[in-house]
Amino acid sequence: MTTPLKEKHRAVWASGDYAAVAADIIPELGALLVEAAGVQAGQEVLDVAAGTGNAAIPATLAGARVTASDLTPSLLEIGSKLAAERGAELDWVEADAEDLPFDTGRFDTVLSCVGVMFAPFHQTAADELVRVCRPGGTIALLSWTPAGFIGHLFGTMKPYAAPPPPGAQPPPLWGDEAHVRALLGDRVTAVEARTATVRVEAFAAASAFREYFKHNYGPTLAVYRSLADDRDRTAALDLALDELAARFRAPDGSMEWEYLLLTARRSGAPTGA
């Protein structure tokens, strides 16, 4: 059932140009996650909150049978075109990360690259990741950290944004290893986690970051739209984002955005073992 909250989230991610963000800022992260997950030819793989296929397409090119799921149909349409351009054939399914329409234990590997972290109810989403992964299968997640740039971005926008629904948790918590371990609990074993950074060189100035995200990144665009009639608060957010970007910029103008990459094995004997 589609709820007003889900419609709002769908609209946020349909706004702007997330395909450009994925291609311009983080093109390598999906392939990196696929490699860390050990995706192999013939495996059944699910990419949750797949967006335009940043992980799903590399998984397909590795020879897996891939299903890319996302709440936002327009992103799936773009992803399907991108996949066709690269000769990748996979299934694209509109689906809520908190209520996946797949059989229990269907997939050998369940992935999410800066995707499931934006589902508002973390435990519900984590329960679904575990449910659809077969015993002995792999769950692999890449998420922005609270201490990294995107974590600070959401912290900077929070005072200007509408309050979240009761019970919702901040997206960057998925970048906290202890939080994710608690979400998955004893239903997984062999947890491996590491933090790393992606180097971003797309912005010639701090203001260039602000303008790019203001017009292309759904969550930032949504906050600005909510301030459309308040010039003072809009200007204050402009300044706050410029100051944030300036703090994270190196002398050469590059930025390092931190993420957590976590892999785990679904508890239970592997099917067929």
Side-chain angles (χ1 to χ4, degrees):
M1 178 186 297
T2 299
T3 66
L5 176 61
K6 297 302 179 180
E7 289 290 356
K8 179 180 178 181
H9 278 241
R10 185 179 286 114
V12 165
W13 291 105
S15 65
D17 190 349
Y18 185 74
V21 175
D24 295 344
I25 311 300
I26 55 169
E28 69 269 38
L29 290 189
L32 188 151
L33 180 62
V34 168
E35 181 180 3
V39 172
Q40 298 178 7
Q43 287 185 334
E44 193 85 11
V45 173
L46 174 66
D47 185 4
V48 178
T52 54
N54 207 25
I57 294 172
T60 302
L61 296 175
R65 298 188 302 275
V66 178
T67 300
S69 69
D70 198 276
L71 185 66
T72 307
S74 59
L75 296 184
L76 297 175
E77 292 172 8
I78 295 169
S80 179
K81 294 176 182 177
L82 294 173
E85 291 172 1
R86 298 180 63 181
E89 296 184 6
L90 60 152
D91 294 327
W92 300 87
V93 178
E94 182 181 345
D96 181 357
E98 296 173 354
D99 186 19
L100 295 170
F102 307 113
D103 291 340
T104 297
R106 171 177 165 181
F107 297 97
D108 300 303
T109 301
V110 179
L111 306 169
S112 190
C113 182
V114 294
V116 73
M117 65 179 291
F118 293 102
F121 303 108
H122 294 191
Q123 191 62 65
T124 303
D127 291 347
E128 284 294 272
L129 296 177
V130 173
R131 182 184 65 80
V132 299
C133 186
R134 68 166 177 83
T138 298
I139 296 172
L141 309 170
L142 193 152
S143 309
W144 301 118
T145 67
F149 178 75
I150 298 296
H152 281 271
L153 170 65
F154 277 89
T156 299
M157 294 191 299
K158 183 178 179 180
Y160 301 90
Q169 293 177 288
L173 275 180
W174 279 88
D176 180 277
E177 180 183 347
H179 181 69
V180 181
R181 283 180 177 269
L183 292 175
L184 300 176
D186 61 5
R187 298 171 298 177
V188 300
T189 61
V191 177
E192 296 184 8
R194 64 180 176 88
T195 56
T197 61
V198 58
R199 184 177 177 88
V200 176
E201 299 177 305
F203 308 114
S207 59
F209 158 77
R210 181 241 305 159
E211 285 301 305
Y212 184 93
F213 264 55
K214 188 175 183 177
H215 294 96
N216 292 295
Y217 190 58
T220 305
L221 180 57
V223 175
Y224 272 101
R225 283 179 173 171
S226 73
L227 301 176
D229 297 326
D230 193 329
R231 291 184 179 180
D232 290 343
R233 283 173 60 77
T234 296
L237 180 55
D238 281 347
L239 178 61
L241 292 184
D242 286 353
E243 291 176 345
L244 171 66
R247 291 203 309 271
F248 276 82
R249 281 170 59 83
D252 65 0
S254 66
M255 306 170 76
E256 299 287 341
W257 295 6
E258 185 180 69
Y259 60 84
L260 175 76
L261 198 162
L262 183 144
T263 60
R265 187 74 60 191
R266 176 72 167 94
S267 298
T271 55

